């Protein structure tokens, strides 16, 4: 998915072993995650963990970026898919965080069998979703990636000018 590669490229510019870059990275994630989790209502929200990490760095939880209001079931599953997938990436990124920096958010990996259970639930929802469900799910995933991209670009521009 091109939007996934775009987000990866934006966040690759943040050095997670640098306290200032890590602060900007977490703040950007919080701006995106706040709106996405509010809409998607995941079973295991990570925003509280992210707020905990930010507080440990003496940073407030920022205002979330607005997310388009879409009530379609498929759209919400697309958001959840992106959130659950980002847990996989977060577990890998947590290894890059400098010692002494908080990393509850990035370390919130899936428990044994949780990713497979999510995929099964997603497949079940898709099977029951009817016409247009898959298109809605793709739109949800793209909306989530777009929010992460927007937040990352804004954080990168702010750190470049700050």
């Amino acid at each position: 998915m091109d939007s996934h590669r775009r987000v990866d490229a934006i966040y690759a510019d943040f050095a997670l072993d640098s306290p200032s870059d890590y602060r900007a990275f977490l703040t950007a994630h919080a701006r995106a995650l706040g709106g996405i989790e509010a809409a998607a209502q995941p079973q295991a929200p990570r925003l509280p963990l992210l707020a905990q990490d930010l507080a440990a760095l003496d940073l407030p939880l920022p205002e979330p970026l607005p997310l388009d209001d879409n009530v379609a079931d498929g759209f919400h599953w697309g958001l959840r898919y992106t959130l659950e997938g980002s847990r996989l990436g977060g577990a890998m990124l947590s290894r890059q965080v400098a010692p002494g920096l908080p990393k509850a958010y990035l370390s919130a990996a899936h428990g044994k069998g949780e990713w497979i259970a999510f995929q099964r639930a997603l497949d079940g929802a898709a099977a029951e979703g009817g016409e247009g469900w898959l298109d809605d799910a793709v739109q949800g995933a793209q909306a989530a990636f777009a929010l992460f991209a927007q937040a990352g670009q804004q954080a990168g521009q702010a750190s470049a000018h700050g």
Side-chain angles (χ1 to χ4, degrees):
M1 182 181 268
D2 287 338
S3 49
H4 188 202
R5 281 192 291 277
R6 180 172 172 245
V7 168
D8 283 350
I10 290 167
Y11 284 95
D13 290 340
F14 292 91
L16 302 185
D17 59 351
S18 157
S20 61
D21 270 17
Y22 189 54
R23 284 179 173 89
F25 174 91
L26 290 179
T27 299
H29 270 244
R31 294 190 71 219
L33 195 68
I36 296 167
E37 281 194 352
Q41 299 179 345
Q43 285 188 326
R46 289 181 296 150
L47 192 59
L49 299 173
L50 188 46
Q52 174 186 324
D53 286 349
L54 288 169
L57 296 169
D58 295 321
L59 294 171
L61 187 64
E63 285 293 317
L65 291 172
L67 178 69
D68 289 340
D69 192 16
N70 187 326
V71 297
D73 183 61
F75 185 85
H76 290 178
W77 277 100
L79 294 175
R80 283 185 209 113
Y81 175 80
T82 305
L83 290 175
E84 294 302 320
S86 76
R87 289 169 70 122
L88 299 171
M92 297 188 52
L93 290 175
S94 71
R95 298 178 195 139
Q96 299 174 26
V97 177
L101 294 176
K103 55 183 182 178
Y105 166 66
L106 289 179
S107 298
H110 292 104
K112 185 175 175 72
E114 286 180 340
W115 176 243
I116 292 169
F118 173 77
Q119 288 177 311
R120 286 187 183 133
L122 178 67
D123 290 344
E128 296 172 9
E131 190 174 335
W133 188 95
L134 184 58
D135 288 338
D136 289 340
V138 169
Q139 286 180 3
Q142 288 176 337
F145 281 122
L147 222 53
F148 274 105
Q150 179 184 352
Q153 285 176 321
Q154 290 172 349
Q157 290 167 353
S159 67
H161 296 103

